[in-house]
Each structure stands twice: as structure tokens, then as C-alpha cells.
Amino acid sequence: MRIAVTIFLTDETITPVRLARELEQRGFAGLYLPEHTHIPTERTSPYPAGGDLPREYGRTLDPFVALGQAAAVTERLGLGTGITLAAQHDPIDLAKQVATLDHLSGGRFTLGLGFGWNVEEAADHGVTWRTRRELVRDRMGLMRALWAEEPTGYEGEFARVRPSFAHPKPVQKPRGPVVGPRTLVGGAAGPKLFAHICEYADGWLPIGGRGLTEALPRLRTAWADAGRDPGALQVVPYAVLPSAGKLAHFAELGVEETVVQLPAAGEAEVLRALDACRQFVE
């Protein structure tokens, strides 16, 4: 099993360059970074994990800039977002950012997508909360059009683009309905989420990995019903606090990559955490 990591990189933590070099040297598979543009102080949205919102949420580095630094100092390390809040981006700009990072890294990028939990943050971006999933679906359609080999237009409910020259292209070639880099969708198990995964993604990015025994058969059924190749589905448990037993359970379910959580901390603490996780890499 490949072991990747995720961390809230901030202006107070280890730097992307230092972390990326250490990850590649130790044999980790990848680095996934979360995204929050800002955290409104007047917030009614509860923190999904419960309790007070950790300090790092309001201090996160831009994931594309940080991953660009990581790409520049590594050769093999996978690079991903976990997750990109696609509803909060202009899709034409986002398509360019994604394609550029994937091109410059030699196809190492994974686009982890999500729908968000912070209503106030999304509202400041002009997002209507009840239609955010449809908005993300529409924006993915537009980006797929810009990533197509030939100039392709897109007309959707929330977005449109005329046939255009748009380069660079993502490295990975189209596979089934999926165009662009490796794409994983995060979120809680359910018919709506699974429909999104089957329509435009390579798989699922479930936070923590709880409940996979019950959820995976439902996702595999939806995947097969959509005409997707059963062997192509990827499920990557995300932000996992690892143990040997947990990873063995994931392996029994057919999971080939797990993303473990690192502390949002300075260099010394993060490197200690990496050393503790190294047993799972080896």
C-alpha cells in the first residue's frame, strides 16, 4: 500500500520545500494539501470534527502555490489537493492552475475535490449553499472542456465557455468519461456523492476511512451501473490516523493508497511524526 500524507501547511509550520524533500527521501507516496481561502470570524457553521476550529484553518497556504514549490524540489512525490473547494474558484482560472501544475510536475498531480462545510466562507465567494454540488459538477464540465485535446465548448447552468485554445493540457489521457488529472471526490457516503464520482472522477477520498465496509459495495454497484471499469475505481482514505490494524483492514478492502494526517506544526514535530509513520511505508 502506498502511504501519502496530508498537513495544514501555514505560515507557522514546516515549509513545503523542506517537507517535500523529507517525504521523498523517506519513500512516502505523496503530499496532499487542504484549502481554505479565509475563515470569517462571524461563523455559525460548526466545525465538522466538533469543538473549536483549530487555528491552522485560518492560516493555510494556497495549495497550488505550495505544491508548485514541492514539485520543483522533487521528482517522484505525488502532489494532490485534499480538497480543492471548486465552488469557490473561477473554473477557467482553476483549469489553468491544475493543468499547469500537472504539466510542470510530469503528471504527478491528483485533483481532490470537495463541496465544503463552511457556509460563510462559501457565501463570501458568491456560492449559494443549496446548489453548491450542482455548481461543482458544472465547473468540472467546463474544466473538462478546456482540458480536451481539441477546442471544445461547454454550456451549463452555472458556467459556460466557448471553444478555446487552452494549453498546457494535463498529462494523463482521457479514461472513460474522465478528462484531466487523476480526480478524487471527497465527502460522506451517499447516492448524490457516488453519482458525482461515477460521472467525472476516478474515485473517492473518504475522510478517516470509517464505514468503508458498508459503503464500498454501494459505490461499486453505482460504478458498475454507470458503465465504469470495475478495476479502475480508486478509493483513498484521507486524513487517517494510522495503525497496523487499520491499514490491514483497508488493504483487505482493496485500498491501494492511504493518506495519513500530520500535525500542523514546526519542522521538528513534523519530522518526528514522519519517523513514526515510516514503519508503515516500509
Side-chain angles (χ1 to χ4, degrees):
M1 181 184 294
R2 301 187 304 276
I3 302 297
V5 306
T6 185
I7 180 174
F8 278 85
L9 287 181
T10 77
D11 55 327
E12 299 176 327
T13 67
I14 189 172
T15 67
V17 166
R18 178 74 165 125
L19 177 58
R21 285 173 168 155
E22 293 292 338
L23 288 170
E24 185 157 271
Q25 181 181 349
R26 287 168 163 80
F28 285 86
L31 170 63
Y32 291 73
L33 298 181
E35 174 182 50
H36 283 285
T37 54
H38 66 300
I39 300 293
T41 56
E42 295 183 3
R43 183 174 59 82
T44 59
S45 300
Y47 175 42
D52 294 333
L53 187 69
R55 173 184 176 86
E56 57 264 25
Y57 275 74
R59 307 187 74 95
T60 54
L61 302 183
D62 178 279
F64 289 95
V65 175
L67 290 170
Q69 283 199 329
V73 298
T74 56
E75 296 180 351
R76 301 175 305 279
L77 187 71
L79 310 160
T81 51
I83 46 81
T84 294
L85 296 165
Q88 298 180 185
H89 286 266
D90 177 290
I92 299 174
D93 286 342
L94 182 59
K96 176 68 77 173
Q97 286 179 283
V98 167
T100 299
L101 179 54
D102 195 53
H103 168 73
L104 292 176
S105 68
R108 289 187 277 152
F109 182 61
T110 293
L111 177 60
L113 288 171
F115 308 104
W117 60 267
N118 191 324
V119 178
E120 294 76 30
E121 177 185 0
D124 284 349
H125 286 277
V127 176
T128 300
W129 192 249
R130 63 179 177 80
T131 58
R132 72 193 188 283
R133 291 176 181 269
E134 291 74 20
L135 177 63
V136 169
R137 177 181 179 273
D138 220 20
R139 290 187 170 173
M140 280 303 300
L142 184 150
M143 291 194 291
R144 284 154 57 199
L146 290 173
W147 293 332
E149 290 298 324
E150 298 298 328
T152 303
Y154 180 80
E155 185 82 40
E157 181 180 358
F158 302 100
R160 64 178 298 275
V161 69
R162 65 197 73 197
S164 305
F165 298 110
H167 291 266
K169 302 296 184 185
V171 173
Q172 193 167 168
K173 298 304 179 184
R175 54 241 176 250
V178 184
V179 178
R182 181 190 189 214
T183 301
L184 304 173
V185 182
K192 289 184 178 180
L193 178 76
F194 292 167
H196 281 263
I197 292 170
C198 295
E199 180 179 351
Y200 57 75
D202 295 294
W204 184 23
L205 201 63
I207 293 180
R210 294 183 61 183
L212 286 183
T213 302
E214 296 75 25
L216 268 181
R218 302 200 305 272
L219 174 56
R220 287 173 174 146
T221 297
W223 186 265
D225 290 346
R228 302 291 302 273
D229 175 6
L233 176 62
Q234 301 179 45
V235 177
V236 181
Y238 186 78
V240 171
L241 300 178
S243 68
K246 187 181 295 184
L247 295 178
H249 174 62
F250 290 163
E252 290 173 357
L253 295 175
V255 169
E256 297 180 350
E257 179 183 1
T258 296
V259 182
V260 303
Q261 181 72 58
L262 295 179
E267 184 173 307
E269 184 176 345
V270 169
L271 295 184
R272 284 195 297 270
L274 284 184
D275 288 337
C277 290
R278 198 170 183 178
Q279 60 178 308
F280 304 119
V281 175
E282 296 171 347

